[in-house]
mmCIF file of all heavy atoms in Angstrom:
data_model
loop_
_atom_site.group_PDB
_atom_site.id
_atom_site.type_symbol
_atom_site.label_atom_id
_atom_site.label_comp_id
_atom_site.label_asym_id
_atom_site.label_seq_id
_atom_site.Cartn_x
_atom_site.Cartn_y
_atom_site.Cartn_z
ATOM 1 N N ARG G 23 91.415 86.174 105.677
ATOM 2 C CA ARG G 23 91.565 87.084 106.800
ATOM 3 C C ARG G 23 92.865 86.798 107.559
ATOM 4 O O ARG G 23 92.976 87.039 108.751
ATOM 5 C CB ARG G 23 90.371 87.021 107.766
ATOM 6 C CG ARG G 23 89.043 87.429 107.179
ATOM 7 C CD ARG G 23 89.031 88.908 106.850
ATOM 8 N NE ARG G 23 87.689 89.379 106.576
ATOM 9 C CZ ARG G 23 87.215 89.573 105.358
ATOM 10 N NH1 ARG G 23 87.944 89.333 104.327
ATOM 11 N NH2 ARG G 23 85.998 90.020 105.188
ATOM 12 N N MET G 24 93.851 86.256 106.872
ATOM 13 C CA MET G 24 95.146 85.910 107.476
ATOM 14 C C MET G 24 96.031 87.143 107.511
ATOM 15 O O MET G 24 96.135 87.876 106.510
ATOM 16 C CB MET G 24 95.826 84.801 106.673
ATOM 17 C CG MET G 24 97.146 84.358 107.246
ATOM 18 S SD MET G 24 97.050 83.646 108.899
ATOM 19 C CE MET G 24 96.213 82.118 108.568
ATOM 20 N N VAL G 25 96.667 87.368 108.664
ATOM 21 C CA VAL G 25 97.558 88.505 108.822
ATOM 22 C C VAL G 25 98.879 88.005 109.420
ATOM 23 O O VAL G 25 98.906 87.440 110.504
ATOM 24 C CB VAL G 25 96.947 89.574 109.769
ATOM 25 C CG1 VAL G 25 97.906 90.736 109.947
ATOM 26 C CG2 VAL G 25 95.613 90.068 109.227
ATOM 27 N N THR G 26 99.960 88.180 108.656
ATOM 28 C CA THR G 26 101.316 87.874 109.103
ATOM 29 C C THR G 26 102.188 89.077 108.758
ATOM 30 O O THR G 26 101.724 90.008 108.091
ATOM 31 C CB THR G 26 101.863 86.613 108.385
ATOM 32 O OG1 THR G 26 102.035 86.927 106.987
ATOM 33 C CG2 THR G 26 100.931 85.413 108.560
ATOM 34 N N PRO G 27 103.455 89.090 109.147
ATOM 35 C CA PRO G 27 104.307 90.202 108.737
ATOM 36 C C PRO G 27 104.400 90.396 107.214
ATOM 37 O O PRO G 27 104.624 91.503 106.746
ATOM 38 C CB PRO G 27 105.669 89.823 109.337
ATOM 39 C CG PRO G 27 105.314 89.034 110.551
ATOM 40 C CD PRO G 27 104.127 88.209 110.114
ATOM 41 N N ALA G 28 104.182 89.325 106.435
ATOM 42 C CA ALA G 28 104.192 89.443 104.984
ATOM 43 C C ALA G 28 103.074 90.367 104.483
ATOM 44 O O ALA G 28 103.158 90.914 103.389
ATOM 45 C CB ALA G 28 104.072 88.062 104.334
ATOM 46 N N PHE G 29 102.045 90.571 105.293
ATOM 47 C CA PHE G 29 100.962 91.516 105.011
ATOM 48 C C PHE G 29 101.559 92.922 104.850
ATOM 49 O O PHE G 29 101.310 93.610 103.860
ATOM 50 C CB PHE G 29 99.974 91.477 106.177
ATOM 51 C CG PHE G 29 98.701 92.242 106.005
ATOM 52 C CD1 PHE G 29 97.512 91.570 105.803
ATOM 53 C CD2 PHE G 29 98.670 93.635 106.104
ATOM 54 C CE1 PHE G 29 96.312 92.263 105.698
ATOM 55 C CE2 PHE G 29 97.486 94.319 105.988
ATOM 56 C CZ PHE G 29 96.297 93.646 105.783
ATOM 57 N N ASP G 30 102.349 93.333 105.833
ATOM 58 C CA ASP G 30 102.976 94.660 105.788
ATOM 59 C C ASP G 30 103.964 94.767 104.630
ATOM 60 O O ASP G 30 104.119 95.826 104.029
ATOM 61 C CB ASP G 30 103.696 94.944 107.104
ATOM 62 C CG ASP G 30 102.766 95.261 108.262
ATOM 63 O OD1 ASP G 30 101.555 95.511 108.043
ATOM 64 O OD2 ASP G 30 103.243 95.256 109.420
ATOM 65 N N VAL G 31 104.648 93.672 104.300
ATOM 66 C CA VAL G 31 105.598 93.659 103.187
ATOM 67 C C VAL G 31 104.861 93.990 101.893
ATOM 68 O O VAL G 31 105.321 94.811 101.091
ATOM 69 C CB VAL G 31 106.329 92.310 103.081
ATOM 70 C CG1 VAL G 31 107.080 92.185 101.762
ATOM 71 C CG2 VAL G 31 107.285 92.124 104.256
ATOM 72 N N TYR G 32 103.726 93.354 101.666
ATOM 73 C CA TYR G 32 102.937 93.588 100.453
ATOM 74 C C TYR G 32 102.554 95.069 100.362
ATOM 75 O O TYR G 32 102.695 95.706 99.332
ATOM 76 C CB TYR G 32 101.689 92.691 100.466
ATOM 77 C CG TYR G 32 100.834 92.764 99.224
ATOM 78 C CD1 TYR G 32 101.137 91.983 98.112
ATOM 79 C CD2 TYR G 32 99.703 93.572 99.165
ATOM 80 C CE1 TYR G 32 100.331 92.020 96.973
ATOM 81 C CE2 TYR G 32 98.906 93.625 98.035
ATOM 82 C CZ TYR G 32 99.218 92.838 96.945
ATOM 83 O OH TYR G 32 98.429 92.883 95.813
ATOM 84 N N GLN G 33 102.047 95.595 101.467
ATOM 85 C CA GLN G 33 101.636 96.997 101.475
ATOM 86 C C GLN G 33 102.810 97.939 101.210
ATOM 87 O O GLN G 33 102.681 98.913 100.469
ATOM 88 C CB GLN G 33 100.954 97.347 102.803
ATOM 89 C CG GLN G 33 99.607 96.659 102.961
ATOM 90 C CD GLN G 33 98.907 96.995 104.252
ATOM 91 O OE1 GLN G 33 99.542 97.113 105.303
ATOM 92 N NE2 GLN G 33 97.595 97.166 104.174
ATOM 93 N N MET G 34 103.957 97.647 101.796
ATOM 94 C CA MET G 34 105.133 98.494 101.543
ATOM 95 C C MET G 34 105.611 98.350 100.105
ATOM 96 O O MET G 34 106.097 99.320 99.518
ATOM 97 C CB MET G 34 106.263 98.176 102.543
ATOM 98 C CG MET G 34 105.924 98.568 103.981
ATOM 99 S SD MET G 34 105.600 100.339 104.190
ATOM 100 C CE MET G 34 107.284 100.918 104.399
ATOM 101 N N GLY G 35 105.452 97.179 99.515
ATOM 102 C CA GLY G 35 105.763 97.000 98.091
ATOM 103 C C GLY G 35 104.855 97.860 97.223
ATOM 104 O O GLY G 35 105.314 98.479 96.252
ATOM 105 N N LEU G 36 103.573 97.910 97.560
ATOM 106 C CA LEU G 36 102.640 98.773 96.820
ATOM 107 C C LEU G 36 103.060 100.230 96.947
ATOM 108 O O LEU G 36 103.081 100.978 95.959
ATOM 109 C CB LEU G 36 101.213 98.605 97.369
ATOM 110 C CG LEU G 36 100.497 97.295 97.084
ATOM 111 C CD1 LEU G 36 99.220 97.211 97.896
ATOM 112 C CD2 LEU G 36 100.207 97.146 95.610
ATOM 113 N N ILE G 37 103.381 100.649 98.157
ATOM 114 C CA ILE G 37 103.757 102.041 98.393
ATOM 115 C C ILE G 37 105.058 102.399 97.677
ATOM 116 O O ILE G 37 105.157 103.462 97.054
ATOM 117 C CB ILE G 37 103.861 102.329 99.910
ATOM 118 C CG1 ILE G 37 102.495 102.181 100.566
ATOM 119 C CG2 ILE G 37 104.457 103.714 100.167
ATOM 120 C CD1 ILE G 37 102.541 102.114 102.089
ATOM 121 N N LEU G 38 106.050 101.524 97.744
ATOM 122 C CA LEU G 38 107.317 101.809 97.069
ATOM 123 C C LEU G 38 107.104 101.921 95.570
ATOM 124 O O LEU G 38 107.648 102.833 94.928
ATOM 125 C CB LEU G 38 108.354 100.725 97.384
ATOM 126 C CG LEU G 38 109.706 100.897 96.697
ATOM 127 C CD1 LEU G 38 110.326 102.258 96.984
ATOM 128 C CD2 LEU G 38 110.653 99.764 97.114
ATOM 129 N N THR G 39 106.304 101.029 94.996
ATOM 130 C CA THR G 39 106.028 101.123 93.565
ATOM 131 C C THR G 39 105.309 102.423 93.242
ATOM 132 O O THR G 39 105.631 103.082 92.250
ATOM 133 C CB THR G 39 105.182 99.905 93.111
ATOM 134 O OG1 THR G 39 105.875 98.707 93.477
ATOM 135 C CG2 THR G 39 104.966 99.925 91.612
ATOM 136 N N GLU G 40 104.389 102.826 94.088
ATOM 137 C CA GLU G 40 103.692 104.088 93.896
ATOM 138 C C GLU G 40 104.661 105.267 93.994
ATOM 139 O O GLU G 40 104.569 106.233 93.227
ATOM 140 C CB GLU G 40 102.580 104.223 94.920
ATOM 141 C CG GLU G 40 101.726 105.447 94.745
ATOM 142 C CD GLU G 40 100.520 105.470 95.669
ATOM 143 O OE1 GLU G 40 100.054 104.408 96.113
ATOM 144 O OE2 GLU G 40 100.037 106.579 95.955
ATOM 145 N N MET G 41 105.598 105.205 94.923
ATOM 146 C CA MET G 41 106.595 106.274 95.061
ATOM 147 C C MET G 41 107.446 106.387 93.798
ATOM 148 O O MET G 41 107.802 107.491 93.379
ATOM 149 C CB MET G 41 107.493 105.995 96.264
ATOM 150 C CG MET G 41 106.796 106.162 97.601
ATOM 151 S SD MET G 41 107.773 105.540 98.998
ATOM 152 C CE MET G 41 109.139 106.671 99.009
ATOM 153 N N LEU G 42 107.766 105.250 93.190
ATOM 154 C CA LEU G 42 108.621 105.244 91.997
ATOM 155 C C LEU G 42 107.867 105.703 90.744
ATOM 156 O O LEU G 42 108.481 106.217 89.811
ATOM 157 C CB LEU G 42 109.176 103.851 91.754
ATOM 158 C CG LEU G 42 110.170 103.350 92.807
ATOM 159 C CD1 LEU G 42 110.458 101.870 92.596
ATOM 160 C CD2 LEU G 42 111.456 104.167 92.755
ATOM 161 N N THR G 43 106.567 105.469 90.713
ATOM 162 C CA THR G 43 105.788 105.760 89.495
ATOM 163 C C THR G 43 104.896 106.981 89.600
ATOM 164 O O THR G 43 104.464 107.511 88.580
ATOM 165 C CB THR G 43 104.898 104.536 89.145
ATOM 166 O OG1 THR G 43 103.941 104.355 90.198
ATOM 167 C CG2 THR G 43 105.720 103.285 88.936
ATOM 168 N N GLY G 44 104.574 107.378 90.828
ATOM 169 C CA GLY G 44 103.662 108.491 91.008
ATOM 170 C C GLY G 44 102.199 108.097 90.772
ATOM 171 O O GLY G 44 101.328 108.938 90.656
ATOM 172 N N THR G 45 101.953 106.783 90.715
ATOM 173 C CA THR G 45 100.613 106.280 90.421
ATOM 174 C C THR G 45 100.221 105.170 91.395
ATOM 175 O O THR G 45 101.015 104.267 91.637
ATOM 176 C CB THR G 45 100.575 105.715 88.985
ATOM 177 O OG1 THR G 45 101.001 106.729 88.074
ATOM 178 C CG2 THR G 45 99.190 105.248 88.597
ATOM 179 N N THR G 46 98.996 105.218 91.900
ATOM 180 C CA THR G 46 98.484 104.140 92.726
ATOM 181 C C THR G 46 98.235 102.933 91.827
ATOM 182 O O THR G 46 97.617 103.059 90.774
ATOM 183 C CB THR G 46 97.153 104.571 93.398
ATOM 184 O OG1 THR G 46 97.383 105.785 94.106
ATOM 185 C CG2 THR G 46 96.640 103.507 94.342
ATOM 186 N N LEU G 47 98.742 101.765 92.230
ATOM 187 C CA LEU G 47 98.608 100.565 91.381
ATOM 188 C C LEU G 47 97.180 100.085 91.263
ATOM 189 O O LEU G 47 96.767 99.605 90.213
ATOM 190 C CB LEU G 47 99.491 99.437 91.906
ATOM 191 C CG LEU G 47 100.983 99.625 91.737
ATOM 192 C CD1 LEU G 47 101.731 98.430 92.306
ATOM 193 C CD2 LEU G 47 101.361 99.827 90.296
ATOM 194 N N VAL G 48 96.406 100.188 92.317
ATOM 195 C CA VAL G 48 95.016 99.755 92.294
ATOM 196 C C VAL G 48 94.161 100.982 92.595
ATOM 197 O O VAL G 48 94.002 101.367 93.741
ATOM 198 C CB VAL G 48 94.750 98.626 93.319
ATOM 199 C CG1 VAL G 48 93.280 98.214 93.292
ATOM 200 C CG2 VAL G 48 95.646 97.425 93.047
ATOM 201 N N ALA G 49 93.656 101.600 91.529
ATOM 202 C CA ALA G 49 92.871 102.823 91.656
ATOM 203 C C ALA G 49 91.475 102.585 91.082
ATOM 204 O O ALA G 49 91.100 103.138 90.069
ATOM 205 C CB ALA G 49 93.569 103.974 90.923
#
C-alpha cells in the first residue's frame, strides 16, 4: 500500500505503452 511519485510514473508508463500499441497491457 506504498504510494510515492514513482506510483504515477508506473501508471504513465502503462498509458504511454497503451498509446503506442492501441492495447491495454493488463486486460
Side-chain angles (χ1 to χ4, degrees):
R23 297 293 193 259
M24 181 62 69
V25 179
T26 67
F29 188 108
D30 286 347
V31 167
Y32 184 85
Q33 291 181 321
M34 292 300 275
L36 289 170
I37 294 166
L38 178 55
T39 305
E40 185 173 335
M41 289 169 67
L42 293 170
T43 64
T45 304
T46 305
L47 289 180
V48 179

